[in-house]
Amino acid sequence: MTGSRWIALGALICGLSVGMGAFAAHFLDQVFARKYDGGTRTVAGQTVPLASKFLNDFKTGAEYQMFHGLALIATGLVMQRRPSRAACIAAWSFTTGTLLFSGSLYVLTLTGVTKWGAVTPFGGVAFLIGWITLAIAATKPLAEPTQA
């Protein structure tokens, strides 16, 4: 894919992140309060309502989606000036990471099926690969400008 297509995909991911954050802020708090009423989890030694934990987890998914949508835009910009295999790997890693990390948090919190939590770290690893390969791509020589 070209740099401009990665930029467009990054913008779409960011826009969707805004929607997911708004969904969490204006709708999910009430849904989770009913769905997980009385449930608790221990987090950092504190017992917290499950509805609060899951709402925070959903918001974490939206935040990471935004961060990595922006990273995808940055990767597309790098690809336009420094096309490389590393930039391509970074773009695919950010996309895969968003699907696995944020997607698993969304599914986990909406369904209550905590086994989805096992998928989340794979998204985190994809994010790390993306950041490392973006750093490598940024050090590649500039591409020669094309003549129109």
Side-chain angles (χ1 to χ4, degrees):
M1 270 191 1
T2 64
S4 60
R5 291 192 188 247
W6 287 115
I7 293 167
L9 180 59
L12 290 172
I13 288 171
C14 288
L16 186 57
S17 170
V18 172
M20 297 303 268
F23 178 64
H26 300 292
F27 180 71
L28 281 185
D29 58 341
Q30 298 164 10
V31 170
F32 284 178
R34 284 191 304 274
K35 184 172 183 165
Y36 302 115
D37 184 37
T40 61
R41 281 280 155 77
T42 302
V43 178
Q46 302 268 333
T47 301
V48 297
L50 189 56
S52 295
K53 163 99 172 77
F54 279 0
L55 185 60
N56 284 334
D57 290 348
F58 191 96
K59 289 179 178 180
T60 296
E63 288 174 7
Y64 273 66
Q65 182 177 333
M66 176 62 78
F67 298 147
H68 292 90
L70 293 171
L72 195 51
I73 291 169
T75 304
L77 293 171
V78 167
M79 288 177 98
Q80 289 180 335
R81 295 296 309 271
R82 293 179 159 88
S84 68
R85 181 165 158 71
C88 188
I89 291 169
W92 281 110
S93 295
F94 290 138
T95 303
T96 302
T98 299
L99 290 171
L100 294 177
F101 186 91
S102 297
S104 66
L105 288 178
Y106 297 149
V107 173
L108 182 157
T109 60
L110 292 170
T111 66
V113 178
T114 56
K115 290 182 181 189
W116 280 99
V119 175
T120 311
F122 292 102
V125 170
F127 287 152
L128 292 172
I129 292 168
W131 287 111
I132 291 165
T133 53
L134 178 57
I136 292 167
T139 64
K140 297 290 181 190
L142 285 173
E144 294 294 323
T146 57
Q147 300 295 323

